[in-house]
Amino acid sequence: MPLIVHENASLLHYNTFGMAMRARYFCEVDTLELLKEALNFAAKKSLIPFIIGGGSNIVLLRDLDTLVIHIKLKGILFEKDQINVMAGENWHQFVRQMIKQEHFGLENLSYIPGSVGGAPIQNIGAYGAEISERLISVVALDRTSGEELFLSNADCQFGYRDSIFKHSLRNQLVITSITLGLDKGFSPILDYVDLKKEFGDRNDVSALEISDALIKIRTEKLPDPSKQGNVGSFFKNPIVSSEWLAQQKENVNIENPRKVKGGYFKIPAALLVSEAGLKGKAVGDAMVSKKHALVLTNLGSASSEDLRSLIEIVQQEVKAKFEVELEVEPEMVF
Ligand SMILES: Cc1cc2nc3c(=O)[nH]c(=O)nc-3n(C[C@H](O)[C@H](O)[C@H](O)COP(=O)(O)OP(=O)(O)OC[C@H]3O[C@@H](n4cnc5c(N)ncnc54)[C@H](O)[C@@H]3O)c2cc1C
């Protein structure tokens, strides 16, 4: 199949926030050959392509005057105790397949939308697990030269919802596959409240049960992007000092702040947004979800201006009430 490039293509169905933006050029690639052809196409036009996987962590605030490449590379390869998976595989389906084939360690990351290639970009995490704990390496192509690169886990410089792909390598590479190290034996991570509530003191919980429980919990908690545009958590959970916790004790009741490195604590941004009275706050068609305060939603035809204003209001009001700066989590495409 030759490369098919569409001009002035709609991106409406390629971003879960549902922004009606357009791409100057758009193509889908399901083989490495087509991907290389697409990179060549962009290079000839002196464009740096933009990559879309599941579109579940991008917020398109403008049309993209470049080539947008939708990654559909598929395949899973087992090499002894390592698993190499292509970037276009659906993350949740991959996690389910691993559980069914008794490769454990990803179950707490069940039901996160998006592609495998998108997962390392912000070091996806949920319910006490992060992909960085399992990722061995990444294979990628340089978006400009097409040269193949190999990055080890250390090269990725993972942090909380963070990696080198958001900094010095931002929009520089196309991840084509990742290699993970999973366990043959299963040890459950159940120390998050929702999972504790679900399983109590049981010590015989299976990986499939955790995954099933998370599908249920997440469906109840989060708005469904196919019904109401969203990108999951819009703000990172802030890291605060013990002095802040002491100062704000009267202001906000933070149960079980989670200890992180350096004597700091991670606290739920959702609580701050909710305590600031912002649930349901709307500007035009952009609204703070009534279901989950950390999720901003698109009620139908939110404009860039609606969304920018809403983000500013949330950040300003939380700062005024709690002296905390909320940092945006998804990739904002200005
Ligand atoms: C309802 C909902 C719940 C969510 N829950 C969570 C959660 O619990 N934890 C969490 O961490 N995230 C969560 N997210 C955010 C999102 O699902 C993840 O960040 C996901 O990994 C994004 O993958 P994607 O393929 O959709 O990336 P996209 O949105 O397509 O892209 C995101 C960024 O990665 C880049 N990118 C994507 N694929 C590639 C590639 N192959 N090579 C190079 N760059 C690439 C894009 O250019 C962009 O900069 C949630 C989102 C939604 C809508």
Side-chain angles (χ1 to χ4, degrees):
M1 275 278 283
L3 181 73
I4 300 169
V5 178
H6 305 274
E7 283 190 49
N8 189 26
S10 167
L11 296 175
L12 181 62
H13 299 296
Y14 294 91
N15 69 105
T16 64
F17 202 82
M19 297 299 275
M21 300 301 167
R22 303 192 80 82
R24 181 166 159 201
Y25 301 108
F26 176 86
C27 66
E28 302 195 290
V29 298
D30 57 7
T31 64
L32 284 172
E33 290 65 36
L34 279 182
L35 173 58
K36 287 177 186 163
E37 255 190 72
L39 295 180
N40 260 330
F41 175 94
K44 278 192 192 139
K45 297 197 175 308
S46 305
L47 298 171
I48 298 178
F50 185 83
I51 307 300
I52 290 191
S56 63
N57 211 29
I58 48 172
V59 180
L60 303 177
L61 296 172
R62 60 166 166 82
D63 291 337
L64 298 184
D65 188 21
T66 187
L67 170 69
V68 171
I69 306 177
H70 181 216
I71 302 296
K72 293 177 78 178
L73 304 168
K74 296 278 162 55
I76 301 174
L77 209 71
F78 294 84
E79 291 168 18
K80 292 186 188 151
D81 52 350
Q82 298 189 358
I83 294 140
N84 179 262
V85 50
M86 297 300 282
E89 291 285 349
N90 173 277
W91 174 260
H92 173 67
Q93 281 166 17
F94 168 65
V95 170
R96 294 291 286 191
Q97 187 177 338
M98 289 305 99
I99 295 170
K100 285 180 184 153
Q101 291 182 232
E102 301 190 334
H103 295 282
F104 302 117
L106 299 177
E107 43 288 336
N108 288 44
L109 301 175
S110 293
Y111 217 51
I112 297 181
S115 66
V116 162
I121 307 293
Q122 76 153 359
N123 181 19
I124 55 165
Y127 295 93
E130 283 182 343
I131 191 177
S132 57
E133 293 153 4
R134 297 294 172 174
L135 188 140
I136 294 169
S137 58
V138 165
V139 181
L141 300 184
D142 186 289
R143 288 187 204 182
T144 313
S145 66
E147 184 199 344
E148 188 173 79
L149 284 99
F150 176 91
L151 289 93
S152 67
N153 181 301
D155 293 334
C156 296
Q157 298 178 16
F158 288 119
Y160 164 57
R161 298 296 180 278
D162 204 18
S163 74
I164 194 164
F165 308 110
K166 283 186 154 194
H167 298 280
S168 59
L169 291 180
R170 185 164 178 270
N171 292 335
Q172 303 278 306
L173 305 181
V174 190
I175 294 175
T176 53
S177 72
I178 66 175
T179 298
L180 299 163
L182 300 181
D183 298 335
K184 282 315 279 176
F186 171 59
S187 40
I189 305 171
L190 295 171
D191 51 353
Y192 261 70
V193 182
D194 292 341
L195 289 174
K196 271 191 191 148
K197 265 194 218 152
E198 193 70 26
F199 296 113
D201 291 335
R202 272 186 57 195
N203 56 11
D204 60 344
V205 181
S206 73
L208 198 57
E209 280 180 292
I210 293 184
S211 181
D212 287 344
L214 286 175
I215 294 173
K216 189 181 107 209
I217 292 167
R218 294 176 65 103
T219 306
E220 281 165 9
K221 269 196 161 177
L222 295 168
D224 175 354
S226 70
K227 300 198 174 105
Q228 199 172 61
N230 76 85
V231 285
S233 304
F234 210 93
F235 300 100
K236 292 186 184 185
N237 287 324
I239 309 289
V240 299
S241 63
S242 49
E243 290 79 29
W244 184 93
L245 283 176
Q247 276 164 16
Q248 296 287 334
K249 217 164 70 189
E250 304 300 312
N251 211 6
V252 57
N253 178 23
I254 297 178
E255 288 171 23
N256 306 322
R258 293 186 81 80
K259 268 195 184 149
V260 293
K261 277 184 210 149
Y264 289 91
F265 297 85
K266 191 158 82 178
I267 59 164
L271 182 67
L272 304 184
V273 177
S274 169
E275 289 290 304
L278 292 163
K279 260 188 172 178
K281 172 85 193 166
V283 178
D285 260 358
M287 185 181 82
V288 179
S289 168
K290 291 181 183 160
K291 206 170 177 184
H292 196 302
L294 201 49
V295 180
L296 302 193
T297 57
N298 182 354
L299 298 177
S301 46
S303 67
S304 304
E305 291 69 35
D306 294 342
L307 189 57
R308 278 176 207 265
S309 307
L310 186 64
I311 295 168
E312 230 177 87
I313 290 171
V314 173
Q315 286 176 324
Q316 279 172 2
E317 297 208 3
V318 166
K319 170 98 177 142
K321 194 160 172 31
F322 303 109
E323 291 178 38
V324 167
E325 309 260 1
L326 287 185
E327 197 185 326
V328 167
E329 186 177 295
E331 162 88 12
M332 303 294 283
V333 186
F334 296 103

